[in-house]
Amino acid sequence: MASMGLQGGTARCYDWWMDYLKCLDESKLPMMNMRKEECKVFLEDYNECLHRQKQRTRDLVVERERRRQEAAQAGAAQDE
């Protein structure tokens, strides 16, 4: 995990990564795989920050709905 961004500051997702590491470090569970399971939410947040997959999916759904509504309005205007 690189902690430097392209412009020299802190990387965009560095804080999310540090939250994940902190969770792993502070976990009282004895085995690493159990710790990873406990901290899974932090890792998901970090991956979302990196890849923005959920955001792209939301944007796509909103855009499709906007187009559907525009098409419905255009169809209603033609019927009049």
Side-chain angles (χ1 to χ4, degrees):
M1 167 68 217
S3 62
M4 296 298 288
L6 293 175
Q7 303 298 322
T10 303
R12 176 182 73 206
C13 302
Y14 181 71
D15 292 331
W16 299 105
W17 179 250
M18 294 308 294
D19 288 344
Y20 175 64
L21 291 180
K22 181 179 177 184
C23 178
L24 288 177
D25 187 47
E26 292 177 353
S27 177
K28 303 297 182 201
L29 296 173
M31 298 172 63
M32 185 54 101
N33 60 347
M34 296 169 80
R35 289 180 182 190
K36 286 180 181 179
E37 183 65 31
E38 181 181 31
C39 299
K40 185 168 84 173
V41 173
F42 292 99
L43 184 59
E44 287 174 1
D45 288 342
Y46 171 68
N47 283 323
E48 172 60 21
C49 179
L50 277 180
H51 305 293
R52 298 181 178 176
Q53 193 168 11
K54 291 177 187 176
Q55 182 64 43
R56 283 195 300 259
T57 302
R58 279 190 292 269
D59 291 346
L60 181 63
V61 168
V62 168
E63 181 63 22
R64 283 182 182 166
E65 179 62 20
R66 184 184 65 78
R67 288 181 183 171
R68 187 192 67 77
Q69 288 179 5
E70 286 176 353
Q73 286 178 350
Q78 287 179 350
D79 290 343
E80 293 177 359

